[in-house]
Amino acid sequence: RKEVEQDPGPFNVPEGATVAFNCTYSNSASQSFFWYRQDCRKEPKLLMSVYSSGNEDGRFTAQLNRASQYISLLIRDSKLSDSATYLCVVNMRNSGYALNFGKGTSLLVTP
Amino acid sequence: ETGVTQSPTHLIKTRGQQVTLRCSSQSGHNTVSWYQQALGQGPQFIFQYYREEENGRGNFPPRFSGLQFPNYSSELNVNALELDDSALYLCASNTLEGKMNTEAFFGQGTRLTVV
């Protein structure tokens, strides 16, 4: 079983739609949680960190449920420029900054 | 741009050869991590260097080795290349201060093709 699991998609949504991505992680010792965005043939870039209290950054909302070992990302009012792969990332306790990446969920926003 | 630079950007090697990939970390960062991203997969952690010492290693064989230099730049060496080593190799730098980690910034990657 992979440590971080994501639905690979692809998710095809029209502009303005709301889309939600889910992610589960297997190791309860996981300490930090993130969503990264990766454009085609580019490097991953941090989209947002995820906190137990939930956090919002503009159109993006991230939630963490430690009991269920579940992370989510909600994108409201999708833009064409949101088209990318979204990577769920977990940092293990005592592993420095070694990041465990999910396989990524592909999003295509269409006009 | 992140300030993390990798070279070369693309590389083609023959099975059995050896390759060295290079990474210049962002100014002020003391930690470099290397990741392998196969097509259609998420990046997989290879190893991390902190102040010139290996500070963690993922599930990769010993033919994957690395170095970090006093200026915190880093090299990834892969010996006896196999076809499955074809991937995007990503370098990420950040600062490790005690138990506090700053955000990791990724370089643009080196795309390695083994034929």
Side-chain angles (χ1 to χ4, degrees):
Chain A
R1 182 185 172 189
K2 290 189 73 70
E3 292 195 28
V4 181
E5 300 260 18
Q6 290 182 254
D7 179 348
F11 283 59
N12 293 337
V13 303
E15 265 185 298
T18 295
V19 61
F21 302 138
N22 303 316
C23 168
T24 56
Y25 60 96
S26 61
N27 195 319
S28 59
S30 300
Q31 185 177 31
S32 308
F33 309 89
F34 312 92
W35 284 100
Y36 273 71
R37 171 193 168 129
Q38 187 171 27
D39 293 295
C40 187
R41 304 183 77 82
K42 299 281 192 178
E43 73 274 20
K45 293 184 180 178
L46 179 64
L47 179 65
M48 58 198 303
S49 300
V50 188
Y51 305 111
S52 297
S53 54
N55 48 301
E56 187 173 310
D57 183 1
R59 299 181 292 108
F60 299 84
T61 301
Q63 298 275 354
L64 166 65
N65 185 319
R66 284 186 184 269
S68 303
Q69 296 180 199
Y70 171 89
I71 306 162
S72 66
L73 176 68
L74 186 75
I75 304 176
R76 292 181 299 278
D77 188 22
S78 298
K79 311 291 185 192
L80 296 177
S81 57
D82 293 334
S83 298
T85 296
Y86 291 83
L87 297 157
C88 178
V89 185
V90 170
N91 175 215
M92 300 291 294
R93 194 184 302 275
N94 297 324
S95 68
Y97 208 71
L99 301 173
N100 283 306
F101 284 81
K103 195 173 179 178
T105 298
S106 175
L107 172 66
L108 178 63
V109 181
T110 55
Chain B
E1 296 301 321
T2 64
V4 180
T5 57
Q6 292 185 241
S7 64
T9 54
H10 296 82
L11 198 54
I12 299 175
K13 287 287 195 178
T14 303
R15 189 170 49 183
Q17 284 188 314
Q18 178 266 344
V19 69
T20 297
L21 310 182
R22 295 180 174 81
C23 172
S24 239
S25 58
Q26 183 163 312
S27 177
H29 286 178
N30 58 18
T31 302
V32 172
S33 303
W34 286 91
Y35 293 82
Q36 180 196 66
Q37 186 173 23
L39 198 62
Q41 303 294 319
Q44 297 296 307
F45 174 67
I46 303 175
F47 43 55
Q48 179 184 83
Y49 279 83
Y50 169 64
R51 299 193 180 218
E52 302 178 60
E53 297 286 332
E54 188 176 288
N55 187 44
R57 189 178 182 92
N59 189 26
F60 279 81
R63 59 190 184 84
F64 285 78
S65 63
L67 284 173
Q68 187 181 31
F69 300 101
N71 65 355
Y72 301 127
S73 65
S74 178
E75 284 182 357
L76 164 65
N77 298 291
V78 187
N79 293 323
L81 282 166
E82 301 176 0
L83 297 179
D84 284 349
D85 295 333
S86 296
L88 179 68
Y89 287 84
L90 294 159
C91 163
S93 78
N94 72 300
T95 297
L96 193 61
E97 299 167 345
K99 293 183 180 179
M100 296 298 294
N101 299 298
T102 62
E103 176 187 345
F105 292 91
F106 283 83
Q108 82 282 11
T110 294
R111 191 163 298 277
L112 173 66
T113 302
V114 182
V115 298

